[in-house]
Amino acid sequence: MKKEILIQFCVMMAALIVAASLAPVLQKSQRYLNPDKERLLTAPVGGMHKVISDWEWMRFINYLGKLQTVDESNVKEVTERLERLVGLDPKYERLYLDGLSLIQHADPKKTVSILEDACKLDYLRDNWKIPFYTGFVYSRDTYDIKNQNGPPLLAADHKKAAKYFKMALERYPGNEPLNYLVNNYVRSMAKMEMVGTAPDREYLARLRFLYREWRILHSKDKALIDVKRQSSKVLITNLEERLLKAIQEARNPVDIYDHRFEPGKELRELIEQVKKEVFFDRALCINCCYPASGGDKYCTHCGTQLEFIHGICCKCNAKLNPGVSYCQDCGTKVAPVLIAAPKAKKKK
Ligand SMILES: [Zn+2]
Ligand SMILES: [Zn+2]
């Protein structure tokens, strides 16, 4: 009898030791399988997070129905309720998109902090809308609605905006991201990289950025090809069309009051470089950069007088042999070459 108890005791002790040594391993693998579990609310809800979260969400909607607006008088409570909901169900997309838009103007700092946490969630690693929204909030100054002339509650941070727009592009399914996603990313990159105080600085930064991306894609330079290999996905689709639009806009820039001004020397030189390298076969108007066709005497967009010369290569300027379709020197397809008309003047 005594012997049996002793055996039972030994077995129990052995089981206890095994369990104790296994626990950290199991906990680790659980963390691996379910990495966001640690972010769940620690309240003892017995694993019923989803059910309680749905219930709380309904109560939240009901509560919002009684509010006129979210302002400093209630933003604290709305935020607390939202954070509790995020704790219960951190993968519920609507909490971030619909829920946070309620407090975005009253407490933008809190909004981006919750959004940034959501961008890191493993559960939501394929979600592009949340990083897009994060980028959107960072891309502009957010003012207190009641004090529009005061300092912004959250100032625009273009570096962070570009980071989150890029994340949204990388996560967007397929290879045809929505145009506004790409536009927002390009705009934030330009705002982030622009320097100086010249009125055309944003045009210059945008053109530089797009041209740099184009050169990476078309380069024979080994260092640039390595950069290309590192990025698995083309983030900026229709790059040439965007470049063409960028030089057209840069040629006729407007200030914040929509008044036209002359682009600076650096920008004009960059436009010419892009025309020569990217659009050598497109016959773009000398003045406005819109494409012209071979027989036009005047630009159909701006009315500038056009003059084409024939018989030279648009790429290497070699004198073409009569009747060839491709340049005998560099192999480029023959295209009409636009030069500045001797007495270039605008048609009335
Ligand atoms: Zn023109
Ligand atoms: Zn040639």
Side-chain angles (χ1 to χ4, degrees), residues 23-37:
V25 180
L26 288 174
Q27 217 162 30
K28 208 173 148 194
S29 58
Q30 192 188 29
R31 224 172 279 148
Y32 172 73
L33 290 167
N34 190 354
D36 299 327
K37 194 168 189 292

Side-chain angles (χ1 to χ4, degrees), residues 217-314:
L217 280 177
H218 293 82
S219 177
K220 293 180 180 79
D221 179 340
K222 203 190 157 297
L224 285 180
I225 291 171
D226 287 343
V227 173
K228 182 163 73 181
R229 283 208 193 98
Q230 280 163 16
S231 54
S232 53
K233 195 168 169 182
V234 177
L235 298 182
I236 302 173
T237 46
N238 308 321
L239 187 53
E240 283 189 14
E241 273 169 55
R242 290 178 199 282
L243 254 177
L244 181 58
K245 198 156 175 257
I247 60 170
Q248 287 163 352
E249 287 176 4
R251 196 62 195 76
N252 276 303
V254 289
D255 62 18
I256 51 167
Y257 306 106
D258 228 23
H259 295 152
R260 290 192 167 185
F261 61 90
E262 267 304 297
K265 183 167 175 276
E266 210 179 343
L267 182 53
R268 290 200 312 271
E269 283 172 2
L270 184 58
I271 294 170
E272 289 312 310
Q273 194 179 336
V274 171
K275 277 171 80 173
K276 205 172 148 198
E277 198 178 334
V278 184
F279 301 110
F280 57 86
D281 56 350
R282 292 287 294 272
L284 303 181
C285 168
I286 311 294
N287 180 46
C288 68
C289 297
Y290 277 75
S293 49
D296 292 351
K297 284 195 166 171
Y298 296 94
C299 170
T300 49
H301 186 259
C302 74
T304 298
Q305 193 180 354
L306 304 175
E307 187 177 323
F308 287 94
I309 44 169
H310 298 275
I312 66 163
C313 170
C314 60

Side-chain angles (χ1 to χ4, degrees), residues 46-318:
M48 304 282 278
H49 292 89
K50 183 66 190 151
V51 180
I52 292 171
S53 153
D54 287 348
W55 168 245
E56 288 271 336
W57 176 251
M58 280 195 299
R59 283 191 8 162
F60 181 60
I61 301 284
N62 193 27
Y63 162 75
L64 289 173
K66 293 175 197 148
L67 299 179
Q68 296 280 349
T69 173
V70 178
D71 54 24
E72 72 258 28
S73 70
N74 53 29
V75 64
K76 196 159 172 274
E77 177 159 11
V78 177
T79 308
E80 275 170 13
R81 284 176 178 247
L82 263 175
E83 283 187 301
R84 185 176 150 77
L85 277 163
V86 170
L88 282 165
D89 190 5
K91 55 181 170 171
Y92 190 35
E93 184 189 273
R94 282 187 66 185
L95 278 177
Y96 304 103
L97 302 180
D98 300 348
L100 287 175
S101 65
L102 296 165
I103 63 162
Q104 185 198 327
H105 289 279
D107 193 348
K109 282 185 182 150
K110 189 84 197 174
T111 305
V112 285
S113 132
I114 298 175
L115 283 170
E116 285 193 304
D117 279 348
C119 288
K120 291 182 206 138
L121 281 182
D122 203 52
Y123 277 135
L124 295 166
R125 63 181 173 274
D126 295 327
N127 185 301
W128 62 269
K129 288 181 186 169
I130 294 170
F132 176 75
Y133 183 30
T134 316
F136 180 83
V137 181
Y138 270 128
S139 69
R140 56 207 68 211
D141 293 333
T142 309
Y143 290 94
D144 187 345
I145 292 176
K146 288 188 179 154
N147 183 16
Q148 299 269 12
N149 296 321
L153 294 174
L154 179 74
D157 183 334
H158 301 298
K159 195 174 173 187
K160 285 195 172 163
K163 173 186 161 183
Y164 286 102
F165 285 140
K166 186 175 184 205
M167 188 188 282
L169 275 175
E170 284 165 344
R171 291 179 177 188
Y172 193 86
N175 290 317
E176 278 297 319
L178 294 167
N179 199 35
Y180 69 80
L181 274 186
V182 185
N183 282 343
N184 275 293
Y185 173 52
V186 173
R187 195 180 305 130
S188 291
M189 284 301 292
K191 282 184 183 279
M192 176 186 130
E193 292 182 355
M194 68 185 184
V195 284
T197 52
D200 64 4
R201 64 193 190 282
E202 194 179 335
Y203 290 91
L204 183 62
R206 180 159 61 126
L207 190 52
R208 267 198 192 128
F209 170 62
L210 290 172
Y211 180 44
R212 195 172 71 217
E213 291 290 305
W214 185 89
R215 282 176 56 218
I216 291 171
L217 280 177
H218 293 82
S219 177
K220 293 180 180 79
D221 179 340
K222 203 190 157 297
L224 285 180
I225 291 171
D226 287 343
V227 173
K228 182 163 73 181
R229 283 208 193 98
Q230 280 163 16
S231 54
S232 53
K233 195 168 169 182
V234 177
L235 298 182
I236 302 173
T237 46
N238 308 321
L239 187 53
E240 283 189 14
E241 273 169 55
R242 290 178 199 282
L243 254 177
L244 181 58
K245 198 156 175 257
I247 60 170
Q248 287 163 352
E249 287 176 4
R251 196 62 195 76
N252 276 303
V254 289
D255 62 18
I256 51 167
Y257 306 106
D258 228 23
H259 295 152
R260 290 192 167 185
F261 61 90
E262 267 304 297
K265 183 167 175 276
E266 210 179 343
L267 182 53
R268 290 200 312 271
E269 283 172 2
L270 184 58
I271 294 170
E272 289 312 310
Q273 194 179 336
V274 171
K275 277 171 80 173
K276 205 172 148 198
E277 198 178 334
V278 184
F279 301 110
F280 57 86
D281 56 350
R282 292 287 294 272
L284 303 181
C285 168
I286 311 294
N287 180 46
C288 68
C289 297
Y290 277 75
S293 49
D296 292 351
K297 284 195 166 171
Y298 296 94
C299 170
T300 49
H301 186 259
C302 74
T304 298
Q305 193 180 354
L306 304 175
E307 187 177 323
F308 287 94
I309 44 169
H310 298 275
I312 66 163
C313 170
C314 60
K315 177 99 189 249
C316 72
N317 290 345

